[in-house]
């Protein structure tokens, strides 16, 4: 097992698995923090100048976040790979939108060359094979894969990879607690030889989601009642939809009239797919969509730049999520001066962004052109994150009952703690490879032997009733062919 | 044997044929039956292929078989069974045997031997399983025969070693259902066997097939249900099954563990991998808690449900279920609940939170963190956050049950319950509100919790709001700020949803009477009185002001110092409200004011008995009126009716009783009046006009009797008899009147015959009551019956007339409890001057909200009637789901009525009212079938029939102003 990325690190997920002679690449992500070659995984590492298609049997993408699929066009078109790429239907639908958006930002805005083109994204998507949940896909005669529901974002899946009687489960990112639009990850007792799990929140146990939701709603509600405006900077996909659902149902329940706006563009396209992939959402949305599709928002309308100056209360979702540029920042500048207004940051903010500054309590901001912006509006922070916490990870391990666990997608120090815990609680060995490190796990493969039915019946008839799960001794001659 | 059988069958067959020839027409039904077995035999012999035979069998199975012929059929089936080579046909025969043995009245012990014999030679697994199933049926039919059962169990044990799971399954099921449960009756053999049964089943807990494992556990549970005390040794086995791969096994195992924990709660079990020991019930509790985070939601629901009923568990374990330690980057973090509590206890109110308010505090020792909870830890935290709402509801229910038995747990689970008020699924929210209400006497709400609870008041679902109002009725609030907060939120609720008025007032009534001391300091502020200045008098019709007053007056009831704070107009308002809303405003002892209400209201209670006495006395008097002259009788009746009606108005408890008797007396009065009409004495052609009164009286009596029969709850058969008797009299009257007015005899024939049929039916239905009816109309009529049947209509009429006059007035015995069904339409109020405008030809929905009292089965009987000004009437069937049941005897109808009409030139009023539909077939007595043809939703009825036949209007009509506009082109 080789980690080309995401070993003891978040971002740039890319894992290479060799299982019983088959090579599978799990995820093909990019690092958002870098703008040079380091942003993509080092693919030359895989084959040492051979052809990728010959070496890899298949590529599996767990979900549409760029740190899991961002390098895909680069990998398939620029480096060159023609084999099958597997992902779920929603991922296949949404992934190209995000890639295109990302390409636009890097190429059109920052003016970078040597980057993949729109055509490359299209070509790449042609190589994708979409899979359903719990559908066993036979990649070739020996290799089969199967997707399980993972929560996290729409279409996120965990994959079981099986060759003969050896199997690996790769979780991708997953979430064990259900939220407003997605259910919880689930896997059966498949007892894989190895479970590759993310470990973003290896050392965190989170509080109940309800308290956070209640706080969030209460704050929005109070501000709106006071006649204030609420700004919620979000990233276009994922949490944004969850918060929309949350507010939408709350508006519905409480019979509120204040308008909610959503900045247009990318989101509208994505919302369309959310409407289509109802089967991937949670119980409530699945059950009620016959009456009304929850993503057909009644109260949430598209935002127009002119609306920001409208009087009266309103709630606006705007991108991007860290207030560093774009529409959210524009609106923020307009509204910051009024203490009735509020900005709610639903996620983490990188250092240096306006979001980070106001969250750390700065009330006077220096904008471009020496302007000083005084922030009088209330600033709130709410964490809505959809990764499994330490308990969730343990719960998944308990459900799947693997023989070995391998942790990726997390920080080394935190993983160390979780590793200890896993070894202590489940008595299974646990690994946490760094980038580029290869871990080899020995399995005890069972060898299937054909036996004639007559012999089997005769043998079983002799002794007592075959006992469950206990080996039974049989006498016969073993013939080995072509070996 | 087979030859003998065949002979018998052919005998039967031929016999039947002969009889059919004899009298085919009359007794066909009975005679074709025995031919079934024979026909089947012939069919089966004819059948050339197994498929044919199967077809015949299938056809045969569709028809019922009579008890007498079951045995013959079984013999034939068995005979074919032995001959049959095809397994599927044998399977079908085996299943038919089982079906046939179920026939009521058939004793299957005679075929048991055969069934067991067939088992021995059978090779096919499926047929074996089916045969065992048949044996199970046979065994279940013979509960009184232990030896048979023992034999069956032995047979089953023999087949337990079969290699097919289906056979093993059935064997276990059979043992579970039939295995001996009596212990200690016959010590040696029986108890030995009983032990054996448990051991045999226990051995199959480790079967290789999950279905067999499930069946084994189920069989064990079956034994338990039948009263066998399971052994404790099973516990450890069952615990191992909890980790099974298959959900149905785990689900059954959870149940088994629960059963065992109830059986041996106090025995001690060791904890593996340590030397400690704990009580079995605690251990089981921990294990079941563990299953709340199982992979399969079926198991989770099962586990969560069972947790609720484990009340013997020690509080230490119980409280762990709510435990969840948070951490962030290995540092301890406080939960939001803890923070809220701290904020509250430190006296601060929650300020806008800063980033990192929840920043982790102390470092955690990495070794001490337990990520996989052992036992009970956090079970409910998991359950309440589950993705399936079924699990969440089950968890809330379990919380409720546990909290009811443990006050300290109730206090602890409060935070979690309050959280559930914001669940995304309404059912869950409603359930948690109800749960909270149930445990509310154990808890006091903190202010921050109250805040969250009150936030739900803005919910748009009426059910949720009303449930919450009911919750607030019985909550304890700790501070005066809490009361104030609640009042403010309720008033907000009132302005947003004015229809909640009643419910909110009621809620404030209880809130006030529960917390008089907390309301006291708020009074000046609430009434906005000022020590020096007079404040303007608030508007008396403002629902919000009434709400405040309701709160204050109810608090003042147990707080004598409060009235001193009232200003003048408050006293005046008190007097007004005490009159207009007496159910919400209690009597107060007000200083310096001799209010009538304060004097009268306490003295009402002792009056109760005299009024009851009065009722009975006046009835006595009426029943003795025989001695009076006709004029006197009429007057007495009239006065008594008036008295009774007034009594009913004064005494709500006696209203049903008084109305009921008054109606009865009214009927009698009408009857007497009708009989005294002049028309009886005048020659036939002259009174054509005068009959109007008599026939109207007859009609009215009929109507009133239906009211009496169907509108009152608590009417017993003794009353029903009298009512029907009265109805019979009315019909007689009708007959007489018609006879006198119509010329010609032909129509009378039919009427007479019908009437006599009714008398006959009356006699048949109330035969047991007849002795009580000495000297009554029907009594006399029955004496004359032979004569009536043979005589001509004109004579019949004559006889009827004399008997009607001579018959005595029957006493109406009163039942214990009698309530009149009433309905009150709350919405539409009928006050609006703005017409409801809609385009003609389209429909408009009108919200109807009504309370119903003492209506039995409202779903089937209550209808909404809409009367249009053109006389058109619509009858609307509300959906069963539109009825809610807030309390015993009370119902609430919240529905939508669709109106439509052609265009009008100006707005006009329509009438909406509720009807009580009845079907006189429902009562055993009557043979009359009303035209109950309102099959679906809407039906226009001719306007002339105001009180539609078969329905009784029982609410005041409400007028709604509507205006269908012509459609624009």
């Amino acid at each position: 097992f080789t980690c080309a990325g995401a070993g003891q690190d978040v971002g740039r997920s890319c894992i290479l698995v060799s299982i019983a002679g088959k090579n599978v690449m799990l995820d093909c992500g990019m690092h958002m923090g870098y703008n040079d070659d380091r942003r993509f995984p080092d693919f030359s590492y895989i084959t040492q100048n051979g052809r990728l298609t010959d070496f890899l049997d298949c590529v599996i993408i767990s979900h549409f976040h760029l740190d899991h699929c961002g390098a895909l066009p680069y990998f398939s078109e620029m480096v060159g790979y023609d084999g099958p790429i597997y992902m779920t239907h929603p991922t296949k639908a949404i992934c190209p939108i995000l890639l295109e958006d990302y390409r636009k930002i890097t190429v059109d805005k920052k003016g970078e060359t040597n980057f993949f083109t729109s055509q490359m994204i299209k070509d790449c998507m042609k190589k994708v094979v979409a899979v359903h949940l719990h559908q066993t896909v036979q990649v070739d005669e020996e290799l089969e894969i199967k997707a399980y529901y993972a929560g996290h974002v729409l279409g996120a899946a965990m994959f079981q990879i099986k060759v003969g009687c050896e199997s690996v489960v790769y979780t991708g990112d997953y979430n064990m607690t259900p939220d407003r639009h997605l259910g919880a990850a689930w896997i059966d007792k498949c007892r894989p030889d190895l479970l590759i799990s993310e470990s973003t929140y290896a050392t965190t146990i989170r509080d109940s989601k309800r308290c956070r939701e209640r706080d969030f709603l209460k704050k929005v509600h109070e501000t709106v009642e006071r006649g204030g405006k609420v700004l919620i900077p979000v990233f276009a996909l994922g949490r944004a939809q969850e918060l929309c659902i949350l507010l939408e149902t709350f508006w519905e329940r409480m019979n509120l009239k204040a308008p909610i706006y959503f900045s247009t563009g990318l989101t509208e396209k994505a919302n369309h797919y959310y409407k289509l992939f109802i089967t991937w959402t949670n119980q409530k949305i699945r059950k009620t969509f016959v009456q009304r599709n929850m993503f057909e928002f009644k109260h949430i309308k598209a935002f127009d730049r002119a609306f920001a100056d409208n009087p009266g209360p309103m709630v606006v979702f705007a991108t991007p999520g860290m207030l560093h540029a774009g529409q959210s920042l524009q609106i923020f500048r307009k509204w910051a001066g009024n203490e009735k207004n509020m900005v709610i940051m639903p996620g983490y903010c990188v250092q240096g962004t306006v979001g980070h500054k106001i969250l750390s309590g700065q009330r006077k901001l220096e904008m471009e052109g020496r302007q000083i912006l005084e922030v009088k509006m209330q600033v709130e922070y709410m964490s809505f994150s959809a990764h499994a916490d330490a308990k969730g990870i343990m719960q998944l391990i308990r459900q799947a009952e693997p023989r070995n666990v391998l942790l990726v997608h997390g920080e080394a120090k935190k993983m160390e703690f979780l590793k200890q815990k896993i070894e202590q609680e489940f008595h299974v060995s646990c690994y946490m490879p760094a980038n580029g490190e290869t871990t080899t796990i020995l399995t005890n493969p069972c060898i299937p032997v054909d036996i004639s039915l007559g012999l089997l019946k005769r043998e079983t008839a002799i002794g007592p009733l075959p006992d469950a799960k206990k080996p039974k001794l049989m006498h016969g001659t073993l013939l080995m062919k072509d070996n | 044997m087979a030859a003998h059988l065949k002979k018998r069958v052919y005998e039967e067959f031929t016999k039947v044929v002969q009889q059919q020839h004899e009298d085919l027409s009359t007794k066909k039904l009975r005679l074709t039956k025995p031919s079934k077995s024979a026909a089947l035999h012939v069919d089966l012999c004819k059948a050339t292929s197994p498929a044919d035979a199967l077809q015949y069998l299938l056809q045969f199975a569709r028809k019922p078989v009579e008890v007498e012929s079951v045995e013959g059929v079984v013999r034939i089936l068995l005979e074919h069974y032995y001959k049959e080579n095809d397994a599927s046909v044998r399977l079908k025969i085996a299943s038919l045997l089982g079906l046939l043995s179920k026939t009521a009245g058939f004793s299957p012990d005679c075929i048991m031997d055969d069934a067991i014999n067939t088992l021995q030679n059978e090779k096919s697994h499926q047929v074996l399983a089916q045969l065992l199933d048949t044996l199970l049926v046979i065994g279940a039919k013979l509960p009184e025969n232990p030896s048979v059962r023992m034999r069956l169990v032995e047979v089953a044990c023999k087949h337990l070693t079969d290699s097919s799971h289906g056979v093993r399954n059935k064997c276990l099921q059979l043992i579970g259902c039939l295995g001996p449960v009596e212990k200690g009756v016959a010590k040696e053999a029986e108890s030995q066997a009983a032990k054996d049964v448990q051991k045999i089943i226990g051995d199959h807990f480790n079967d290789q097939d999950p279905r067999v494992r499930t069946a084994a556990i189920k069989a064990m549970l079956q034994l338990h249900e039948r009263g066998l005390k399971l052994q404790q040794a099973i516990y450890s086995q069952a615990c191992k099954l909890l980790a099974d791969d298959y959900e149905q096994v785990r689900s059954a195992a959870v149940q088994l563990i629960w059963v065992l924990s109830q059986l041996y709660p106090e025995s001690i079990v060791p904890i593996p991998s340590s030397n400690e020991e704990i009580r079995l019930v605690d251990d089981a509790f921990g294990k079941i808690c563990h299953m709340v985070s199982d992979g399969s939601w079926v198991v989770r629901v099962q586990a969560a449900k069972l947790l609720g009923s484990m009340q013997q568990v020690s509080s230490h374990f119980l409280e762990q279920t709510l435990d969840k330690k948070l951490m962030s980057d290995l540092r301890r973090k406080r939960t939001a609940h803890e923070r809220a509590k701290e904020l509250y206890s430190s006296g601060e109110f929650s300020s806008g939170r800063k980033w990192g308010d929840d920043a982790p505090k102390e470092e955690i020792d990495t070794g001490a963190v337990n990520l996989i909870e052992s036992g009970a830890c956090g079970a409910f935290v998991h359950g309440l956050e589950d993705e399936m709402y079924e699990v969440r509801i089950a968890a809330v229910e379990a919380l409720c049950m546990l909290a009811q038995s443990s006050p300290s747990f109730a206090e602890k689970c409060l935070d979690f319950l309050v959280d559930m008020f914001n669940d995304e699924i309404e059912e869950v929210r409603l359930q948690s509100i109800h749960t909270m209400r149930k445990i509310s006497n154990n808890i006091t709400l903190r202010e921050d919790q109250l805040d969250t609870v009150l936030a739900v008041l803005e919910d748009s679902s009426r059910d949720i709001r009303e449930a919450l109002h009911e919750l607030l009725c019985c909550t304890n609030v700790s501070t005066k700020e809490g009361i104030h907060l609640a009042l403010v939120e309720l008033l907000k609720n009132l302005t947003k949803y004015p229809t909640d008025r009643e419910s909110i007032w009621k809620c404030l009534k209880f809130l006030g009477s529960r917390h008089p001391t907390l309301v006291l300091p708020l009074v000046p502020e609430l009434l906005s009185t000022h020590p020096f200045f007079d404040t303007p008098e608030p508007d008396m019709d403002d629902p919000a002001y009434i709400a405040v007053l309701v709160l204050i007056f109810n608090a003042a009831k147990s707080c004598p110092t409060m009235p001193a704070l009232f200003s003048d107009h408050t006293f005046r308002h008190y007097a007004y409200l005490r009159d207009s809303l007496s159910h919400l405003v209690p009597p107060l002892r007000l200083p310096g004011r001799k209010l009538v209400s304060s004097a009268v209201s306490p003295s009402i209670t002792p009056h109760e008995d005299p009024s009851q006495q009065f009722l009975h006395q006046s009835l006595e008097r009426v029943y003795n009126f025989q001695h009076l002259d006709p004029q006197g009788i009429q007057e007495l009746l009239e006065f008594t009716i008036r008295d009774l009606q007034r009594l009913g108005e004064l005494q709500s408890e006696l209203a049903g009783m008084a109305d009921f008797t008054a109606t009865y007396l009214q009927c009698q009065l009408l009857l007497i009046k009708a009989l005294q009409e002049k028309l009886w004495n005048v020659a036939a052609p002259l009174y054509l006009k005068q009959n109007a009164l008599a026939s109207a009286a007859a009609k009215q009596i009929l109507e009133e009797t239906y009211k009496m029969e169907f509108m009152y709850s608590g009417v017993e058969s003794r009353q029903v008899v009298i009512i029907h008797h009265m109805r019979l009299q009315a019909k007689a009257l009708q007959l007489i009147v018609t006879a006198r007015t119509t010329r010609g005899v032909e129509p009378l024939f039919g009427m007479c015959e019908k009437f006599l049929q009714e008398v006959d039916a009356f006699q048949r239905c109330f035969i047991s009551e007849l002795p009580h009816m000495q000297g009554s109309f029907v009594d006399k009529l029955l004496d004359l019956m032979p004569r009536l049947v043979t005589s001509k209509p004109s004579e019949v009429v004559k006889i009827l007339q004399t008997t009607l006059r001579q018959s005595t007035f029957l006493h109406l015995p009163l039942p214990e409890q009698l309530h009149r069904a009433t309905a009150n339409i709350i919405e539409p109020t009928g006050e609006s001057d703005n017409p409801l405008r809609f385009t003609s030809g389209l429909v408009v929905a009108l919200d109807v909200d009504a309370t119903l009292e003492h209506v039995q089965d409202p779903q089937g009987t209550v209808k909404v009637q809409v009367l249009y000004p053109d006389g058109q009437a619509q009858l609307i069937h509300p959906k069963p789901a539109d009825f809610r049941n807030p309390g015993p005897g009370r119902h609430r109808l919240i529905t939508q009525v669709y109106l439509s009409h052609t265009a009008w030139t100006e707005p006009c009023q329509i009438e909406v009212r509720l009807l009580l539909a009845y079907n006189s077939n429902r009562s055993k007595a009557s043979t009359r079938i009303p035209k109950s043809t309102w099959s679906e939703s809407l039906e226009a009825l001719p306007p002339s029939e105001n009180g539609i036949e078969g329905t009784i209007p029982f609410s005041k009509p409400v007028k709604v102003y509507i205006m269908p506009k012509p459609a624009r082109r």
Side-chain angles (χ1 to χ4, degrees), chain B residues 730-748:
Chain B
K731 280 176 185 160
L733 183 67
Q734 239 174 359
L735 180 63
I736 299 166
V737 174
T738 351
R740 287 230 133 194
T741 48
T742 41
R743 286 175 203 177
V745 210
E746 284 78 35
L748 282 182

Side-chain angles (χ1 to χ4, degrees), chain B residues 484-510:
Chain B
H484 195 225
L485 198 67
L487 180 67
V488 168
E489 290 292 331
L490 281 170
L491 292 182
K492 229 198 239 172
N493 175 195
L494 189 63
T495 45
K496 201 162 174 185
Y497 305 100
T499 47
D500 287 359
R501 205 165 65 174
E502 287 287 329
S503 169
I504 288 176
W505 286 344
K506 205 181 105 210
C507 167
L508 283 169
K509 173 186 168 188
F510 285 100

Side-chain angles (χ1 to χ4, degrees), chain B residues 336-402:
Chain B
H337 293 155
E338 287 168 332
R339 286 201 303 274
K341 205 168 177 176
E342 240 166 74
L343 265 179
Y344 174 73
S345 52
S346 67
E348 262 177 70
F349 233 126
S350 176
S351 53
R353 186 143 43 99
K354 283 168 250 139
W355 193 24
D357 177 26
D358 58 346
K361 295 281 149 58
E362 70 263 49
E363 293 263 347
I364 298 184
D365 174 20
T366 48
V369 186
N370 203 2
L371 285 181
I372 275 285
E373 310 83 356
S374 53
C377 251
F380 278 119
V381 179
H382 274 289
L384 295 176
E385 279 180 39
D386 199 277
E387 77 172 304
M388 308 299 281
Y389 83 93
E390 290 92 341
V391 183
R392 297 200 296 268
I393 285 194
V396 169
E397 269 165 17
L399 261 188
C400 171
M401 284 161 84
L402 289 172

Side-chain angles (χ1 to χ4, degrees), chain B residues 829-842:
Chain B
T829 46
E831 288 161 359
S832 169
D833 289 334
N834 295 331
L836 200 61
R837 289 174 194 279
F838 61 99
T839 309
S840 66
L842 300 181

Side-chain angles (χ1 to χ4, degrees), chain B residues 260-551:
Chain B
L260 287 167
S261 78
Q262 302 302 81
L263 281 177
Y264 306 96
E266 298 303 330
S267 51
I268 301 295
V269 288
I271 300 176
S273 77
S274 78
N275 299 328
E276 287 174 66
E277 293 183 324
I278 51 170
R279 291 161 70 215
L280 190 139
V281 64
D282 288 344
D283 190 51
F285 187 77
K287 292 216 158 67
I288 296 180
C289 280
H290 198 63
M291 298 311 277
V292 172
S293 45
D294 189 87
S296 148
W297 70 271
V298 182
V299 180
R300 294 202 297 267
V301 172
Q302 174 89 279
K305 271 191 187 144
L306 291 177
L307 280 183
S309 47
M310 298 180 79
Q311 269 128 6
Q312 298 116 310
V313 76
S314 46
S315 61
H316 165 63
F317 277 87
L318 200 56
E319 278 156 26
Q320 269 188 2
T321 56
L322 297 175
D323 191 44
K324 189 180 185 185
K325 294 215 166 49
L326 303 187
M327 62 173 191
S328 168
D329 293 352
L330 285 180
R331 278 176 295 177
R332 171 106 170 77
K333 221 169 117 176
R334 290 163 312 148
T335 62
H337 293 155
E338 287 168 332
R339 286 201 303 274
K341 205 168 177 176
E342 240 166 74
L343 265 179
Y344 174 73
S345 52
S346 67
E348 262 177 70
F349 233 126
S350 176
S351 53
R353 186 143 43 99
K354 283 168 250 139
W355 193 24
D357 177 26
D358 58 346
K361 295 281 149 58
E362 70 263 49
E363 293 263 347
I364 298 184
D365 174 20
T366 48
V369 186
N370 203 2
L371 285 181
I372 275 285
E373 310 83 356
S374 53
C377 251
F380 278 119
V381 179
H382 274 289
L384 295 176
E385 279 180 39
D386 199 277
E387 77 172 304
M388 308 299 281
Y389 83 93
E390 290 92 341
V391 183
R392 297 200 296 268
I393 285 194
V396 169
E397 269 165 17
L399 261 188
C400 171
M401 284 161 84
L402 289 172
Q404 272 173 329
S405 60
S406 156
S408 68
F409 183 70
E411 195 73 40
K412 285 217 167 61
C413 75
L414 209 54
D415 273 327
F416 293 90
L417 268 183
V418 169
D419 275 353
M420 295 306 285
F421 283 19
N422 286 318
D423 195 275
E424 56 184 344
I425 300 222
E426 185 175 322
E427 275 168 273
V428 182
R429 295 201 295 267
L430 204 57
Q431 180 71 39
S432 41
I433 294 174
H434 284 314
T435 299
M436 186 99 136
R437 197 191 69 226
K438 283 182 200 146
I439 62 170
S440 58
N441 40 357
N442 283 340
I443 50 163
T444 307
L445 280 179
R446 277 199 326 263
E447 222 164 288
D448 56 306
Q449 289 164 338
L450 189 70
D451 201 31
T452 324
V453 171
L454 291 172
V456 185
L457 272 179
E458 288 189 50
D459 202 299
S460 59
S461 153
R462 183 184 212 130
D463 287 330
I464 295 266
R465 291 198 308 270
E466 277 175 8
L468 206 61
H469 293 156
E470 260 172 61
L471 164 66
L472 285 177
C473 282
C474 44
T475 10
N476 302 317
V477 181
S478 49
T479 58
K480 79 174 203 304
E481 283 82 13
I483 292 281
H484 195 225
L485 198 67
L487 180 67
V488 168
E489 290 292 331
L490 281 170
L491 292 182
K492 229 198 239 172
N493 175 195
L494 189 63
T495 45
K496 201 162 174 185
Y497 305 100
T499 47
D500 287 359
R501 205 165 65 174
E502 287 287 329
S503 169
I504 288 176
W505 286 344
K506 205 181 105 210
C507 167
L508 283 169
K509 173 186 168 188
F510 285 100
L511 212 56
S513 53
R514 283 179 87 95
H515 309 96
T517 46
L518 296 180
V519 175
L520 184 62
L522 290 171
V523 167
E525 189 189 344
L526 292 180
L527 292 176
S528 55
T529 48
H530 195 276
F532 309 124
F533 303 116
D534 270 347
T535 44
E537 184 176 332
D539 178 15
M540 198 50 242
D541 289 330
D542 182 10
Y545 179 62
I546 296 179
V548 174
L549 286 185
V550 167
L551 174 77

Side-chain angles (χ1 to χ4, degrees), chain B residues 888-912:
Chain B
R890 284 193 299 141
H891 286 275
R892 179 105 184 249
L893 171 66
I894 299 173
T895 187
Q896 278 196 327
V897 170
Y898 297 112
L899 307 175
S900 184
H901 212 277
T902 47
W904 296 348
T905 49
E906 58 194 76
C908 215
Q909 280 172 329
I910 57 163
E911 269 183 26
V912 177

Side-chain angles (χ1 to χ4, degrees), chain A residues 186 191 207 214 253-254 421, chain B residues 245 295 369 419 460 496:
Chain A
W186 182 85
R191 300 204 174 85
D207 200 356
R214 203 185 54 214
R253 250 181 77 193
M254 298 304 187
K421 283 287 158 196
Chain B
D245 280 9
V369 186
D419 275 353
S460 59
K496 201 162 174 185

